[in-house]
Amino acid sequence: MSAPVLSPAGRAAGDGTPNGSAGEVRPAAAYRTVLRLHRRGLRFLAALVALAAAFVIGVYLWWRFASDRDECRDARGDIRIDIECFRNSYGYIEADSWYRMLGNEPRMWLLLPVVLAVLFAAGPLVARELESGTYRMAWTQSQSPSSWLTARLVVGGAVAAGTAVAVTALYRLVWETHGDLMIMWDQDGVFRALGPALTAYALLAVALGALAGLLVRRVLMAMSLGLLATGAVLGATQQVRFSLWPTVSQEWQGKQGATLPNHSSDVDSGLLTASGDRKPSDFCMPSGYYQEAEYRKCLADNNVTGGWVEYHPPTHFWPLQLVETGLVLALTAVVVFAAYRVLRRVAP
């Protein structure tokens, strides 16, 4: 009597065993298998996040409780870094320089969850198993191809999301407590690191990494392709971000200029004629650079009497943040769908 032939779902063909019975592992067991297979990488990532958190909190405590901090307070009790502060509070100044560096370099925060997510998903999670051939045993004895991929996406997504949330919490600690950083909320790294958009990008990185792994099935190539695709998305969303929510417009006559709320983000500006026509800011600089005589003649010839500006006030941070997060999550869903379609070509 010949042995029954196993289907990819892990059951004997034609035996009537329902999918998900004893022949196929349950989802919880599949997730545990992924965690066990990649425990070294996950432990390394956990140690890295814990080390980063300890460093940030340590610098914060050093900055917050420096023994000579009070030497930098002015008559109103506010911290003011001036010559006297530099002279008498070396310890606090040193702590402040480290803490300021953490706040002024948000791209460091952005790199940790997004880059690690795409590298982990593209390399160890997917491409390495396809390259080594170890996936075949799982597909023929215990898991269907779709459940195999689902387990890796769920574990990778959970790890990436947890890392991103931790990074956002740490950066918001620095952003909200320092109060005198050299950057604004609209700058690219700051904007992503301050809200849920960073978590959405980390999830997208996992999806792109998995898709890259399925497409090329080579670890180094998959990691490179995943990084390239993630970088392209980051660059594209940076270009369209401030068009995702309506701007506030302001026009003025004479030389008074615009009166914008503090920390507003200029999107566009230009010249305004007496008839109300808007001209671009370089309208009177056809040569590409400022020439006073040419510029003044152009203003007079075109009856320019004022200016205009389109901007986002600080209150637009959360609408912009949530719209971008939704856009990235929608793109993540598309990439995941594409990964399952590619899997159907890879699966035997």
Short mmCIF file of all heavy atoms in Angstrom, two decimals, residues 66-111:
data_model
loop_
_atom_site.label_atom_id
_atom_site.label_comp_id
_atom_site.label_asym_id
_atom_site.label_seq_id
_atom_site.Cartn_x
_atom_site.Cartn_y
_atom_site.Cartn_z
N ALA A 66 21.50 67.83 37.13
CA ALA A 66 22.89 68.28 37.25
C ALA A 66 23.03 69.18 38.48
O ALA A 66 22.21 70.08 38.70
CB ALA A 66 23.32 69.02 35.99
N SER A 67 24.06 68.96 39.28
CA SER A 67 24.20 69.67 40.55
C SER A 67 24.38 71.17 40.36
O SER A 67 23.99 71.96 41.24
CB SER A 67 25.39 69.10 41.33
OG SER A 67 26.58 69.22 40.57
N ASP A 68 24.97 71.58 39.23
CA ASP A 68 25.19 73.01 39.01
C ASP A 68 24.17 73.62 38.05
O ASP A 68 24.40 74.68 37.49
CB ASP A 68 26.60 73.25 38.49
CG ASP A 68 26.92 72.39 37.27
OD1 ASP A 68 26.04 71.61 36.85
OD2 ASP A 68 28.05 72.50 36.76
N ARG A 69 23.04 72.96 37.88
CA ARG A 69 21.99 73.45 36.98
C ARG A 69 21.47 74.82 37.42
O ARG A 69 21.21 75.70 36.60
CB ARG A 69 20.86 72.43 36.92
CG ARG A 69 19.66 72.82 36.06
CD ARG A 69 18.55 71.79 36.22
NE ARG A 69 17.34 72.15 35.50
CZ ARG A 69 17.03 71.74 34.28
NH1 ARG A 69 17.87 70.97 33.63
NH2 ARG A 69 15.91 72.11 33.71
N ASP A 70 21.31 75.01 38.73
CA ASP A 70 20.72 76.26 39.23
C ASP A 70 21.60 77.48 38.95
O ASP A 70 21.12 78.61 39.00
CB ASP A 70 20.46 76.16 40.74
CG ASP A 70 19.30 75.21 41.05
OD1 ASP A 70 18.48 74.98 40.14
OD2 ASP A 70 19.24 74.71 42.19
N GLU A 71 22.88 77.25 38.67
CA GLU A 71 23.76 78.37 38.34
C GLU A 71 23.38 79.04 37.02
O GLU A 71 23.80 80.16 36.75
CB GLU A 71 25.21 77.88 38.25
CG GLU A 71 25.75 77.27 39.53
CD GLU A 71 25.85 78.30 40.65
OE1 GLU A 71 26.05 79.50 40.34
OE2 GLU A 71 25.71 77.91 41.82
N CYS A 72 22.56 78.35 36.22
CA CYS A 72 22.16 78.89 34.92
C CYS A 72 20.76 79.51 34.94
O CYS A 72 20.23 79.86 33.88
CB CYS A 72 22.22 77.80 33.85
SG CYS A 72 23.89 77.22 33.50
N ARG A 73 20.16 79.64 36.12
CA ARG A 73 18.83 80.23 36.19
C ARG A 73 18.92 81.75 36.24
O ARG A 73 19.80 82.31 36.91
CB ARG A 73 18.07 79.72 37.42
CG ARG A 73 17.76 78.23 37.37
CD ARG A 73 16.81 77.83 38.49
NE ARG A 73 16.61 76.39 38.51
CZ ARG A 73 15.72 75.76 37.74
NH1 ARG A 73 14.97 76.46 36.90
NH2 ARG A 73 15.59 74.45 37.81
N ASP A 74 18.01 82.41 35.52
CA ASP A 74 17.97 83.87 35.57
C ASP A 74 17.09 84.33 36.72
O ASP A 74 16.64 83.52 37.55
CB ASP A 74 17.50 84.45 34.23
CG ASP A 74 16.10 83.95 33.85
OD1 ASP A 74 15.35 83.47 34.74
OD2 ASP A 74 15.74 84.05 32.66
N ALA A 75 16.78 85.64 36.78
CA ALA A 75 16.00 86.19 37.88
C ALA A 75 14.59 85.62 37.94
O ALA A 75 13.97 85.56 39.01
CB ALA A 75 15.95 87.72 37.77
N ARG A 76 14.06 85.20 36.80
CA ARG A 76 12.71 84.63 36.76
C ARG A 76 12.69 83.14 37.03
O ARG A 76 11.63 82.52 37.09
CB ARG A 76 12.07 84.90 35.40
CG ARG A 76 11.84 86.38 35.10
CD ARG A 76 11.13 86.55 33.76
NE ARG A 76 11.89 85.93 32.68
CZ ARG A 76 11.45 85.85 31.42
NH1 ARG A 76 10.25 86.33 31.11
NH2 ARG A 76 12.21 85.30 30.50
N GLY A 77 13.87 82.55 37.18
CA GLY A 77 13.94 81.13 37.46
C GLY A 77 14.07 80.25 36.23
O GLY A 77 14.09 79.02 36.33
N ASP A 78 14.15 80.88 35.04
CA ASP A 78 14.28 80.12 33.79
C ASP A 78 15.75 79.80 33.53
O ASP A 78 16.64 80.57 33.87
CB ASP A 78 13.71 80.91 32.61
CG ASP A 78 12.22 81.19 32.78
OD1 ASP A 78 11.53 80.32 33.37
OD2 ASP A 78 11.75 82.25 32.31
N ILE A 79 15.96 78.65 32.89
CA ILE A 79 17.32 78.28 32.51
C ILE A 79 17.76 79.15 31.35
O ILE A 79 17.08 79.27 30.33
CB ILE A 79 17.39 76.79 32.11
CG1 ILE A 79 17.06 75.90 33.30
CG2 ILE A 79 18.77 76.46 31.56
CD1 ILE A 79 18.07 75.96 34.42
N ARG A 80 18.92 79.76 31.49
CA ARG A 80 19.46 80.63 30.44
C ARG A 80 20.94 80.34 30.29
O ARG A 80 21.72 80.55 31.22
CB ARG A 80 19.23 82.09 30.79
CG ARG A 80 19.71 83.05 29.70
CD ARG A 80 19.36 84.47 30.05
NE ARG A 80 19.80 85.40 29.01
CZ ARG A 80 19.56 86.71 29.05
NH1 ARG A 80 18.89 87.24 30.06
NH2 ARG A 80 20.00 87.48 28.07
N ILE A 81 21.30 79.85 29.09
CA ILE A 81 22.70 79.51 28.84
C ILE A 81 23.42 80.74 28.30
O ILE A 81 23.22 81.15 27.15
CB ILE A 81 22.80 78.32 27.86
CG1 ILE A 81 22.14 77.08 28.48
CG2 ILE A 81 24.25 78.03 27.52
CD1 ILE A 81 22.16 75.87 27.61
N ASP A 82 24.23 81.37 29.11
CA ASP A 82 24.99 82.55 28.72
C ASP A 82 26.43 82.39 29.21
O ASP A 82 26.86 81.31 29.62
CB ASP A 82 24.34 83.82 29.27
CG ASP A 82 24.10 83.73 30.78
OD1 ASP A 82 24.73 82.86 31.43
OD2 ASP A 82 23.32 84.54 31.31
N ILE A 83 27.18 83.50 29.18
CA ILE A 83 28.59 83.44 29.57
C ILE A 83 28.75 82.99 31.02
O ILE A 83 29.60 82.15 31.34
CB ILE A 83 29.25 84.82 29.36
CG1 ILE A 83 29.25 85.19 27.88
CG2 ILE A 83 30.68 84.80 29.90
CD1 ILE A 83 30.00 84.23 27.01
N GLU A 84 27.92 83.53 31.92
CA GLU A 84 28.02 83.14 33.34
C GLU A 84 27.71 81.67 33.52
O GLU A 84 28.33 80.98 34.33
CB GLU A 84 27.07 84.01 34.17
CG GLU A 84 27.51 85.45 34.32
CD GLU A 84 28.85 85.55 35.02
OE1 GLU A 84 29.06 84.83 36.01
OE2 GLU A 84 29.71 86.33 34.56
N CYS A 85 26.74 81.19 32.76
CA CYS A 85 26.38 79.77 32.86
C CYS A 85 27.56 78.90 32.40
O CYS A 85 27.90 77.91 33.04
CB CYS A 85 25.14 79.49 32.01
SG CYS A 85 24.64 77.75 31.97
N PHE A 86 28.18 79.28 31.28
CA PHE A 86 29.33 78.54 30.79
C PHE A 86 30.47 78.55 31.81
O PHE A 86 31.19 77.57 31.99
CB PHE A 86 29.82 79.15 29.47
CG PHE A 86 29.18 78.55 28.26
CD1 PHE A 86 28.13 79.20 27.63
CD2 PHE A 86 29.60 77.34 27.76
CE1 PHE A 86 27.53 78.66 26.50
CE2 PHE A 86 29.01 76.78 26.64
CZ PHE A 86 27.97 77.44 26.02
N ARG A 87 30.63 79.67 32.50
CA ARG A 87 31.75 79.83 33.42
C ARG A 87 31.57 79.01 34.70
O ARG A 87 32.52 78.46 35.24
CB ARG A 87 31.90 81.31 33.76
CG ARG A 87 33.08 81.65 34.66
CD ARG A 87 33.15 83.15 34.85
NE ARG A 87 33.29 83.84 33.56
CZ ARG A 87 33.01 85.13 33.39
NH1 ARG A 87 32.55 85.85 34.40
NH2 ARG A 87 33.18 85.69 32.20
N ASN A 88 30.31 78.92 35.18
CA ASN A 88 30.07 78.34 36.50
C ASN A 88 29.41 76.96 36.47
O ASN A 88 29.27 76.34 37.51
CB ASN A 88 29.19 79.28 37.33
CG ASN A 88 29.83 80.65 37.51
OD1 ASN A 88 31.03 80.74 37.73
ND2 ASN A 88 29.03 81.69 37.40
N SER A 89 28.96 76.50 35.31
CA SER A 89 28.15 75.27 35.27
C SER A 89 28.64 74.33 34.18
O SER A 89 27.89 73.94 33.28
CB SER A 89 26.67 75.63 35.03
OG SER A 89 26.22 76.55 35.98
N TYR A 90 29.90 73.95 34.25
CA TYR A 90 30.46 73.09 33.21
C TYR A 90 29.72 71.76 33.14
O TYR A 90 29.45 71.24 32.05
CB TYR A 90 31.95 72.85 33.45
CG TYR A 90 32.56 71.93 32.44
CD1 TYR A 90 32.89 72.40 31.17
CD2 TYR A 90 32.78 70.57 32.73
CE1 TYR A 90 33.43 71.54 30.22
CE2 TYR A 90 33.32 69.73 31.79
CZ TYR A 90 33.65 70.21 30.54
OH TYR A 90 34.17 69.36 29.60
N GLY A 91 29.36 71.18 34.28
CA GLY A 91 28.68 69.89 34.29
C GLY A 91 27.34 69.96 33.59
O GLY A 91 26.99 69.10 32.78
N TYR A 92 26.57 71.01 33.89
CA TYR A 92 25.26 71.15 33.26
C TYR A 92 25.40 71.42 31.77
O TYR A 92 24.64 70.89 30.95
CB TYR A 92 24.46 72.28 33.92
CG TYR A 92 23.17 72.57 33.18
CD1 TYR A 92 22.11 71.69 33.25
CD2 TYR A 92 23.05 73.71 32.40
CE1 TYR A 92 20.93 71.93 32.56
CE2 TYR A 92 21.88 73.98 31.71
CZ TYR A 92 20.83 73.08 31.79
OH TYR A 92 19.68 73.32 31.10
N ILE A 93 26.38 72.25 31.39
CA ILE A 93 26.59 72.56 29.97
C ILE A 93 26.93 71.29 29.20
O ILE A 93 26.45 71.06 28.08
CB ILE A 93 27.70 73.62 29.81
CG1 ILE A 93 27.23 74.96 30.38
CG2 ILE A 93 28.09 73.77 28.35
CD1 ILE A 93 26.01 75.52 29.68
N GLU A 94 27.76 70.44 29.78
CA GLU A 94 28.12 69.18 29.13
C GLU A 94 26.89 68.29 28.97
O GLU A 94 26.67 67.71 27.89
CB GLU A 94 29.18 68.46 29.96
CG GLU A 94 29.71 67.18 29.34
CD GLU A 94 30.61 67.42 28.15
OE1 GLU A 94 30.99 68.59 27.90
OE2 GLU A 94 30.92 66.44 27.45
N ALA A 95 26.07 68.21 30.01
CA ALA A 95 24.84 67.41 29.93
C ALA A 95 23.89 67.99 28.89
O ALA A 95 23.27 67.26 28.11
CB ALA A 95 24.17 67.35 31.30
N ASP A 96 23.78 69.31 28.87
CA ASP A 96 22.88 69.96 27.92
C ASP A 96 23.32 69.73 26.48
O ASP A 96 22.48 69.56 25.59
CB ASP A 96 22.79 71.46 28.19
CG ASP A 96 21.79 72.15 27.31
OD1 ASP A 96 20.57 71.99 27.56
OD2 ASP A 96 22.20 72.85 26.36
N SER A 97 24.62 69.70 26.23
CA SER A 97 25.11 69.47 24.86
C SER A 97 24.74 68.07 24.38
O SER A 97 24.36 67.88 23.22
CB SER A 97 26.61 69.69 24.80
OG SER A 97 27.30 68.72 25.57
N TRP A 98 24.85 67.07 25.27
CA TRP A 98 24.46 65.72 24.90
C TRP A 98 22.95 65.62 24.68
O TRP A 98 22.49 65.00 23.71
CB TRP A 98 24.89 64.74 26.00
CG TRP A 98 26.32 64.33 25.91
CD1 TRP A 98 27.39 64.90 26.55
CD2 TRP A 98 26.86 63.27 25.12
NE1 TRP A 98 28.55 64.26 26.21
CE2 TRP A 98 28.26 63.25 25.34
CE3 TRP A 98 26.30 62.33 24.26
CZ2 TRP A 98 29.10 62.33 24.73
CZ3 TRP A 98 27.14 61.41 23.64
CH2 TRP A 98 28.52 61.42 23.88
N TYR A 99 22.20 66.22 25.58
CA TYR A 99 20.74 66.14 25.47
C TYR A 99 20.25 66.90 24.24
O TYR A 99 19.33 66.46 23.55
CB TYR A 99 20.11 66.73 26.74
CG TYR A 99 18.71 66.24 27.00
CD1 TYR A 99 18.41 64.88 26.97
CD2 TYR A 99 17.69 67.13 27.31
CE1 TYR A 99 17.13 64.42 27.22
CE2 TYR A 99 16.40 66.68 27.57
CZ TYR A 99 16.14 65.33 27.52
OH TYR A 99 14.86 64.88 27.76
N ARG A 100 20.87 68.03 23.95
CA ARG A 100 20.51 68.79 22.76
C ARG A 100 20.84 68.00 21.49
O ARG A 100 20.10 68.06 20.50
CB ARG A 100 21.26 70.13 22.78
CG ARG A 100 20.81 71.13 21.73
CD ARG A 100 21.66 72.37 21.83
NE ARG A 100 21.46 73.05 23.10
CZ ARG A 100 20.58 74.02 23.28
NH1 ARG A 100 19.80 74.39 22.28
NH2 ARG A 100 20.45 74.61 24.46
N MET A 101 21.95 67.27 21.51
CA MET A 101 22.31 66.46 20.35
C MET A 101 21.24 65.40 20.07
O MET A 101 20.87 65.15 18.92
CB MET A 101 23.66 65.78 20.58
CG MET A 101 24.11 64.90 19.42
SD MET A 101 25.43 63.76 19.88
CE MET A 101 24.55 62.64 20.98
N LEU A 102 20.72 64.78 21.13
CA LEU A 102 19.68 63.78 20.95
C LEU A 102 18.43 64.38 20.31
O LEU A 102 17.77 63.75 19.49
CB LEU A 102 19.31 63.16 22.30
CG LEU A 102 20.36 62.27 22.96
CD1 LEU A 102 19.90 61.85 24.35
CD2 LEU A 102 20.65 61.06 22.10
N GLY A 103 18.11 65.62 20.69
CA GLY A 103 16.93 66.27 20.12
C GLY A 103 17.13 66.80 18.73
O GLY A 103 16.20 66.82 17.92
N ASN A 104 18.35 67.23 18.42
CA ASN A 104 18.62 67.85 17.13
C ASN A 104 19.00 66.87 16.03
O ASN A 104 19.20 67.27 14.89
CB ASN A 104 19.75 68.89 17.26
CG ASN A 104 19.29 70.14 17.99
OD1 ASN A 104 18.12 70.51 17.94
ND2 ASN A 104 20.21 70.80 18.67
N GLU A 105 19.13 65.59 16.35
CA GLU A 105 19.49 64.59 15.36
C GLU A 105 18.41 63.51 15.27
O GLU A 105 18.62 62.35 15.62
CB GLU A 105 20.84 63.94 15.71
CG GLU A 105 22.02 64.90 15.69
CD GLU A 105 22.30 65.41 14.29
OE1 GLU A 105 21.93 64.72 13.32
OE2 GLU A 105 22.88 66.50 14.16
N PRO A 106 17.20 63.87 14.82
CA PRO A 106 16.10 62.90 14.82
C PRO A 106 16.28 61.76 13.83
O PRO A 106 15.64 60.72 13.97
CB PRO A 106 14.89 63.77 14.44
CG PRO A 106 15.47 64.90 13.67
CD PRO A 106 16.79 65.18 14.31
N ARG A 107 17.11 61.94 12.81
CA ARG A 107 17.29 60.85 11.86
C ARG A 107 17.91 59.62 12.52
O ARG A 107 17.70 58.49 12.06
CB ARG A 107 18.14 61.31 10.68
CG ARG A 107 17.43 62.35 9.82
CD ARG A 107 18.23 62.69 8.58
NE ARG A 107 17.60 63.76 7.85
CZ ARG A 107 16.61 63.60 6.97
NH1 ARG A 107 16.17 62.37 6.73
NH2 ARG A 107 16.06 64.62 6.33
N MET A 108 18.67 59.81 13.59
CA MET A 108 19.18 58.65 14.32
C MET A 108 18.02 57.82 14.86
O MET A 108 18.05 56.60 14.85
CB MET A 108 20.07 59.11 15.47
CG MET A 108 21.34 59.82 15.05
SD MET A 108 22.47 60.07 16.45
CE MET A 108 21.41 60.94 17.61
N TRP A 109 17.00 58.51 15.34
CA TRP A 109 15.82 57.82 15.89
C TRP A 109 15.05 57.13 14.78
O TRP A 109 14.52 56.04 14.97
CB TRP A 109 14.91 58.81 16.60
CG TRP A 109 15.58 59.60 17.66
CD1 TRP A 109 16.34 60.74 17.51
CD2 TRP A 109 15.57 59.31 19.05
NE1 TRP A 109 16.79 61.17 18.73
CE2 TRP A 109 16.33 60.32 19.69
CE3 TRP A 109 14.98 58.32 19.83
CZ2 TRP A 109 16.52 60.35 21.06
CZ3 TRP A 109 15.17 58.35 21.19
CH2 TRP A 109 15.93 59.35 21.79
N LEU A 110 14.97 57.78 13.63
CA LEU A 110 14.22 57.21 12.51
C LEU A 110 14.90 55.95 11.98
O LEU A 110 14.23 54.98 11.60
CB LEU A 110 14.13 58.25 11.39
CG LEU A 110 13.39 57.85 10.12
CD1 LEU A 110 11.93 57.57 10.42
CD2 LEU A 110 13.52 58.94 9.06
N LEU A 111 16.22 55.91 11.99
CA LEU A 111 16.94 54.79 11.41
C LEU A 111 16.74 53.51 12.21
O LEU A 111 16.64 52.43 11.62
CB LEU A 111 18.43 55.11 11.33
CG LEU A 111 18.85 56.14 10.28
CD1 LEU A 111 20.34 56.42 10.40
CD2 LEU A 111 18.52 55.65 8.88
#
